[in-house]
Each structure stands twice: as structure tokens, then as C-alpha cells.
Amino acid sequence: MQKLKVGDTVQVMAGAEASEKNPASKRGKILKIDRESERVTVEGLRLVKRHMKKTPQSPEGGIVEKPGTIALANVQVVCAKCDKPTRVGFRTEGEGGKKKRFCKNCDALID
């Protein structure tokens, strides 16, 4: 089981996308995780410009902004209950012994 999953809300803690003045502005949902290169794609963050040629599939072409990747170590999961970036822990719950993720700050279940 992984500590980060697609669809989690994360906050950028370090790197070029981190914001000192308003840290909550650098939050977004995870769109894609590349475990091999240890990078994540976060919705609306680290936008990069790509030049697209006109083709039958994309008739307009031009300059397109796409979300780039951020290092896995530079993001933290945001807890829905306490609304703070947190470390993630695991515990077994229920009769089946399923592993669940929980917030290390407020002890609330993440999923």
C-alpha cells in the first residue's frame, strides 16, 4: 500500500512551486504517479508550455500549458479533517485486517 494515491489532495512543501506567503495556494489533486522516477503530476501546479503542431487530431495547435511533474519527496498529503499537510501512517482496522491510512496529526482516517 502506498502513502500517496491518485486523487489525494497534496500540498507542495519544497522546490520551485512552494509558496512561503500562502502555502494553501499550492494545493491540488494528484493526477498521475510515476513510481519509477518518483515524480507526481498535480492538477494546476508546475505548468509547462508545450508547442503543438497543427494536426488532424488537434486542429488549432499553438502553445499549450500542461501540468509538469513534481518530486515525490516535495509533496505531503493534506488531511481532510484538520486541513493541514501531514505525514501518513498505516494501521489495520476491522475484522478482515485491512490496512488503512491515517493522519499522524489528528489521528483521522484518510481513506
Side-chain angles (χ1 to χ4, degrees):
M1 185 171 226
Q2 298 95 13
K3 294 193 176 193
L4 294 175
K5 292 183 177 181
V6 174
D8 283 346
T9 302
V10 293
Q11 181 172 326
V12 179
M13 303 305 290
E17 285 292 314
S19 174
E20 297 287 327
K21 296 176 185 159
N22 189 8
S25 68
K26 297 299 179 176
R27 289 183 179 180
K29 286 194 182 283
I30 294 179
L31 299 175
K32 191 170 95 175
I33 300 175
D34 185 5
R35 301 239 178 245
E36 192 172 302
S37 62
E38 296 182 353
R39 297 188 73 81
V40 293
T41 303
V42 181
E43 180 179 47
L45 296 179
R46 181 112 175 125
L47 295 176
V48 294
K49 294 187 179 192
R50 294 287 176 246
H51 298 267
M52 300 290 289
K53 192 175 185 179
K54 288 184 183 181
T55 63
Q57 289 83 15
S58 62
E60 57 270 351
I63 300 172
V64 178
E65 281 193 341
K66 296 169 50 174
T69 61
I70 301 171
L72 198 61
N74 292 347
V75 297
Q76 271 190 333
V77 175
V78 176
C79 176
K81 184 178 176 188
C82 62
D83 198 42
K84 293 180 182 175
T86 182
R87 293 175 297 135
V88 176
F90 294 103
R91 72 166 60 112
T92 54
E93 299 237 342
E95 59 203 48
K98 292 222 173 203
K99 283 173 81 173
K100 299 282 186 178
R101 299 184 301 163
F102 72 96
C103 170
K104 292 254 184 153
N105 291 337
C106 67
D107 214 38
L109 287 178
I110 293 176
D111 55 5

